[in-house]
Amino acid sequence: MAPYYRGRMADTNGSDWHTTACVLCSINCGIEVRLDGREIVRVRGDKSHPASRGYTCEKGLRVNHYQNGRDRISSPLRRRPDGTFEEIDWDTAIAEVAERFGAIRDEHGGASIFYYGGGGQGNHLGGGYSAATRAMLGSQYSSNALAQEKTGEFWVDGQLFGSPRCHTAPDFHHAEVAVFVGKNVWHSHGFPRARVTLKEIANDPDRAMIVIDPRRTETADLADFFLQVRPGGDAWLLAAMVAILIDEGMLAEDWLDAHSVGADRIRELFGAIHIGAYCRRADVPEDLVRQATRRIGTASSVAVLEDLGVQMAPHSTLNSWLEKLLYLLTGNFARQGGMNLHSSLASLSGGGAGKPIASPVHGHRVLSGLVACNHVPDEILTDHPERFRAMLVESANPAHSLADSGRWREALDALELVVVIDVAMTETARRADYVLPAASQYEKVECTFFTLEFPENDFQLRHPILEPLAGTLPEPEIHSRLVKALGGYTDDDLAGLRAAAHQGRSAFAAAFFAELAEKPHLNPLIAVILYETLGRSLPHHLAPAAALWGLAHRCAAANGASLRRAGFDGDALEQGEALFDAILENPQGIIFTVDPYEETWNRMVHPDQRAHLVVEELVPELAGLADDVVEGPDPEFPLVLSAGERRSSTANTVIRDPGWRKRDPDGALRISVTDATSLGVVDGGRVRIVTRAGQAETVAEVSETMRAGHVSLPNGFGLDYPDELGEHRIHGVAPNELTSIEDRDWFAGTPHHKHIPARVEALR
């Protein structure tokens, strides 16, 4: 096959700054880098980026550790019978993978082929192209990291606003009161220029910050009200706050009458709550809870952000409902400084007509089109005829990143075929039958579909700054070759569209829609068809961006007025073309929609354009809080472990090289002064952490930020990474060696990573 890349890359002699983005969290701040050969030697914030405007944190300065990791893969690999790998060429790899997947599909049906992944924090184009491969295989079931974090919240959004795609954007830049629930913004960000905004709120006497967290985080240190909730007590605290709004007459009655359904039922459900008892259950003084709630109830604007601290803990889906009631009952929706529904270029929330609603073996709930990660191994480790028999894993590492790594290893080993597409030899890749090496995020055109901002929403298509590592391919090319090998298209099928693409965009559009009307079987393959036709007419290395042409037109059709306010004029067709051109021509990013706050109402999916406040499925769980008995700690596991705390020394695991850390190289276990004293643990001493799932040894950090009974381990550790001599070393504790698949939310299936019964033993 012909090489993928055509054209010439930018100079790499270190004399120029190249525009790109950080890939270490969902915000993807714009950065500029200087190169010395293939090394990224300097990094700075990109002042021309429309959202981050020169902002970056310490993590973005170290992306070279991702780009030039020692465990990158530079050739397709095939597992030998003895478990070792051999290098094979791309033609052989594509042919064999297609043949083996096809055989499983033909014998057991495409539903037996499970897809996991589809993009890291800044690696989303491949996930878009994977839809074509999955269509050829008939693959129906999938999952990714969102299904162990966000699907419960997405589902609640759907109940309140009409669709899981109705994702809210907090307007912290204008909010009088900012509320963070289980969220340490200082390290996990969550919105552009996060630390700048936190400081602005903290330094303004007319504004206030409320933080709900078991640990006194860096964000909590800036807060006006820090509610240091008992681990797992968030539901009682949030329910008490809703009850206080009712008890003290702080509901936005006129707003509720005009814009909501179910306010009377909410008054009934929460009016009966014993506020003092719930505050005691949460272990936060009632007076402090009332003060914080009054600040919410009397503010001109309130924005709220929840995150993994409550989304990966007991009552996670219920927590999402309660958190949203705080701003809805006070009318802080569709207004400046409140919560609003943003536009999107591509929805993160799947699901909809034709998507599975339950897993095939055990009938587990499928939310937003995703099988909960904690349910997947049980859909494999069975003799049920409809079990998952094969997996395609893309830009993801379930053997390390999901609950109960041991169970996941067992499940992967039980499959008939595992194929991994990734840049590095991950823990999951080591168990694969085939590993297909991808170009890095700095060697290909890439983007992120985390377009989550309001009133201005931005999007960045990053151009490659380096030639791809020899032997690697970008994911769109891999999927295109797989689709062709599976019989999805031939070169003759696409000859007319390729010719039309070179005649110009108008000629291509007419030919494209005529072709799809005549050959509807090509519709599921749209991304690959665009890549192989329109993509060939695009300049330099931008062929994978061809899929964005369709998304640009879809966005224009749905958000015409919003695009017009951003400067894209004309009818829908002209707007779509102008948006696509702007995306291609502005590698530093663009603002693609601009909205007034009332535009939020037009994004409501409920036909009455009202917020439906009552989530009936969660009412029994809410009622059950009153009957929950506070029990003493389990003598065997008296502590609560939070597995996966974000720190200055942690990032997502696309950085596998531990050398990027300037401190905390072992990933210390944080423990309170009280617990350390009682257990004989000293700062810097070694400890053993034991859970029902496993045990590990590490060093201890005795910290005044921890409350008694609560310990934490950081995320990003426990990766198998080769040292300078090529010997494999595991650095720090892999948190998911200590977590259990059984500990999960009853409704969404999200894991209790932040609430694991544990004990700590001092090692002499």
Side-chain angles (χ1 to χ4, degrees):
M1 295 184 179
Y4 163 70
Y5 277 97
R6 303 174 294 280
R8 189 176 67 84
M9 291 301 304
D11 179 32
T12 58
N13 63 8
S15 61
D16 299 318
W17 289 95
H18 305 289
T19 298
T20 184
C22 175
V23 298
L24 301 181
C25 86
S26 64
I27 301 306
N28 300 119
C29 295
I31 58 175
E32 295 179 307
V33 304
R34 296 187 80 167
L35 303 171
D36 183 1
R38 294 189 63 84
E39 299 288 322
I40 298 174
V41 294
R42 289 191 63 190
V43 180
R44 68 186 183 191
D46 180 6
K47 294 180 180 179
S48 67
H49 189 277
S52 57
R53 306 197 306 276
Y55 175 95
T56 189
C57 73
E58 67 273 18
K59 298 174 187 180
L61 305 180
R62 301 169 189 169
V63 293
N64 188 59
H65 290 275
Y66 156 74
Q67 169 58 35
N68 292 298
R70 284 193 290 269
D71 57 355
R72 286 201 61 188
I73 314 164
S74 58
S75 173
L77 301 175
R78 178 176 59 199
R79 180 179 293 278
R80 298 187 181 101
D82 65 0
T84 61
F85 287 94
E86 60 184 340
E87 294 186 355
I88 55 176
D89 62 77
W90 272 104
D91 286 350
T92 300
I94 294 295
E96 291 187 4
V97 167
E99 180 181 9
R100 291 191 61 182
F101 269 135
I104 293 171
R105 173 200 61 196
D106 295 344
E107 183 175 356
H108 301 289
S112 67
I113 301 173
F114 189 76
Y115 177 79
Y116 188 88
Q121 294 284 33
N123 193 59
H124 284 171
L125 275 178
Y129 282 95
S130 70
T133 300
R134 293 184 60 207
M136 289 304 303
L137 295 174
S139 174
Q140 300 175 31
Y141 295 94
S142 66
S143 193
N144 58 41
L146 292 174
Q148 70 165 352
E149 301 167 357
K150 304 294 183 183
T151 46
E153 183 189 9
F154 289 167
W155 180 82
V156 171
D157 285 336
Q159 305 309 298
L160 297 175
F161 310 125
S163 169
R165 292 185 172 90
C166 293
H167 184 265
T168 51
D171 185 13
F172 289 120
H173 301 287
H174 300 104
E176 180 184 333
V177 175
V179 184
F180 301 111
V181 185
K183 175 76 174 176
N184 183 12
V185 179
W186 192 262
H187 286 318
S188 63
H189 305 287
F191 52 92
R193 300 172 57 80
R195 293 179 181 176
V196 172
T197 302
L198 287 181
K199 292 177 181 178
E200 289 174 350
I201 297 171
N203 292 330
D204 188 336
D206 296 325
R207 304 173 74 185
M209 189 187 310
I210 299 170
V211 170
I212 298 172
D213 205 298
R215 190 176 78 82
R216 197 182 75 237
T217 64
E218 293 81 357
T219 307
D221 280 338
L222 297 172
D224 300 271
F225 301 92
F226 173 38
L227 310 184
Q228 193 170 19
V229 64
R230 175 187 59 81
D234 307 275
W236 285 269
L237 176 59
L238 292 168
M241 294 175 77
V242 173
I244 290 168
L245 290 174
I246 296 169
D247 180 59
E248 299 195 8
M250 291 183 286
L251 302 191
E253 300 289 359
D254 291 343
W255 188 94
L256 291 171
D257 287 344
H259 298 298
S260 77
V261 175
D264 287 342
R265 183 84 193 286
I266 293 294
R267 293 186 188 92
E268 174 190 339
L269 290 170
F270 290 87
I273 282 177
H274 190 301
I275 294 169
Y278 276 47
C279 292
R280 288 191 294 275
R281 186 69 172 81
D283 199 22
V284 182
E286 180 182 349
D287 183 58
L288 179 60
V289 178
R290 286 187 179 271
Q291 289 180 48
T293 307
R294 288 180 194 129
R295 192 65 182 90
I296 293 171
T298 58
S300 61
S301 59
V302 178
V304 185
L305 185 60
E306 64 169 81
D307 205 5
L308 307 189
V310 291
Q311 292 171 340
M312 304 177 85
H315 304 291
S316 60
T317 307
L318 177 62
N319 287 333
S320 293
W321 178 34
L322 299 175
E323 166 266 307
K324 295 173 193 299
L325 286 177
L326 290 178
Y327 64 77
L328 288 170
L329 294 175
T330 53
N332 287 290
F333 183 74
R335 66 187 301 177
Q336 182 173 340
M339 306 296 291
N340 294 275
L341 302 181
H342 58 78
S343 63
S344 64
L345 200 65
S347 175
L348 294 176
S349 175
K355 296 288 186 178
I357 61 172
S359 64
V361 175
H362 296 286
H364 293 302
R365 215 176 265 107
V366 173
L367 300 181
S368 297
L370 301 173
V371 179
C373 304
N374 277 36
H375 294 154
V376 177
D378 288 341
E379 299 285 322
I380 297 170
L381 295 168
T382 172
D383 60 1
H384 194 284
E386 296 182 32
R387 67 186 181 274
F388 299 143
R389 297 172 182 268
M391 277 186 70
L392 175 57
V393 181
E394 181 174 1
S395 299
N397 189 9
H400 176 272
S401 300
L402 303 181
D404 200 338
S405 294
R407 182 74 166 164
W408 264 98
R409 289 190 291 268
E410 183 184 359
L412 289 168
D413 292 347
L415 291 165
E416 297 173 26
L417 176 64
V418 178
V419 177
V420 169
I421 302 173
D422 215 321
V423 300
M425 198 63 176
T426 66
E427 287 70 18
T428 304
R430 295 182 190 283
R431 314 193 87 81
D433 298 287
Y434 294 87
V435 185
L436 306 181
S440 83
Q441 295 188 44
Y442 297 109
E443 299 166 354
K444 63 193 175 193
V445 62
E446 249 305 348
C447 66
T448 171
F449 293 132
F450 293 129
T451 50
L452 309 177
E453 304 310 314
F454 188 100
E456 295 182 345
N457 211 349
D458 63 283
F459 179 78
Q460 181 182 15
L461 180 73
R462 310 187 306 272
H463 293 200
I465 59 174
L466 289 164
E467 293 281 359
L469 184 68
T472 69
L473 291 173
E475 293 91 338
E477 177 70 12
I478 295 172
H479 286 295
S480 181
R481 295 186 185 190
L482 284 172
V483 168
K484 187 176 185 180
L486 289 163
Y489 71 89
T490 66
D491 288 332
D492 289 343
D493 291 333
L494 304 183
L497 286 177
R498 285 172 175 162
H502 287 286
Q503 294 172 21
R505 203 81 57 72
S506 296
F508 176 77
F512 179 75
F513 291 114
E515 188 80 359
L516 290 184
E518 182 181 341
K519 302 175 182 177
H521 66 279
L522 294 179
N523 274 277
L525 313 181
I526 281 178
V528 162
I529 301 301
L530 287 172
Y531 171 76
E532 287 291 344
T533 56
L534 179 62
R536 289 179 177 263
S537 70
L538 298 178
H540 303 306
H541 314 301
L542 298 183
L548 298 177
W549 178 75
L551 294 178
H553 279 283
R554 183 185 302 172
C555 181
N559 302 279
S562 302
L563 265 70
R564 193 166 293 109
R565 286 187 288 267
F568 300 100
D569 295 324
D571 60 23
L573 180 61
E574 292 168 328
Q575 285 183 307
E577 291 294 334
L579 175 58
F580 183 57
D581 285 336
I583 288 171
L584 295 181
E585 295 165 4
N586 294 278
Q588 79 283 356
I590 62 166
I591 298 293
F592 70 97
T593 57
V594 176
D595 289 311
Y597 291 93
E598 58 268 22
E599 184 66 25
T600 285
W601 297 115
N602 295 326
R603 297 203 172 109
M604 296 280 281
V605 176
H606 284 312
D608 58 9
Q609 289 191 320
R610 289 171 175 255
H612 291 214
L613 301 176
V614 181
V615 181
E616 289 292 350
E617 289 88 341
L618 300 180
V619 168
E621 183 179 2
L622 173 68
L625 296 180
D627 300 326
D628 194 278
V629 178
V630 180
E631 298 178 352
D634 181 340
E636 186 177 3
F637 301 104
L639 304 175
V640 173
L641 167 66
S642 176
E645 178 195 339
R646 287 167 172 166
R647 302 177 184 174
S648 63
S649 57
T650 68
N652 67 50
T653 54
V654 300
I655 292 192
R656 297 180 58 82
D657 179 1
W660 80 274
R661 298 186 180 94
K662 302 300 183 184
R663 62 180 303 275
D664 193 23
D666 297 313
L669 176 83
R670 282 181 171 160
I671 185 170
S672 73
V673 175
T674 300
D675 291 326
T677 301
S678 67
L679 295 170
V681 172
V682 298
D683 191 57
R686 293 199 64 79
V687 295
R688 179 183 295 114
I689 177 78
V690 184
T691 71
R692 294 187 180 95
Q695 59 182 276
E697 295 182 9
T698 186
V699 298
E701 177 187 333
V702 181
S703 173
E704 294 183 349
T705 68
M706 304 298 296
R707 57 173 288 158
H710 189 213
V711 296
S712 72
L713 284 169
N715 70 311
F717 282 80
L719 296 166
D720 185 334
Y721 189 80
D723 62 18
E724 292 83 355
L725 300 177
E727 295 294 324
H728 291 281
R729 299 283 185 266
I730 295 177
H731 302 266
V733 176
N736 282 308
E737 298 293 339
L738 303 173
T739 60
S740 170
I741 275 179
E742 299 303 319
D743 293 332
R744 61 200 185 206
D745 183 66
W746 74 274
F747 188 86
T750 45
H752 293 170
H753 284 353
K754 308 301 183 184
H755 196 271
I756 304 165
R759 70 173 181 269
V760 172
E761 302 166 355
L763 298 177
R764 305 300 181 188

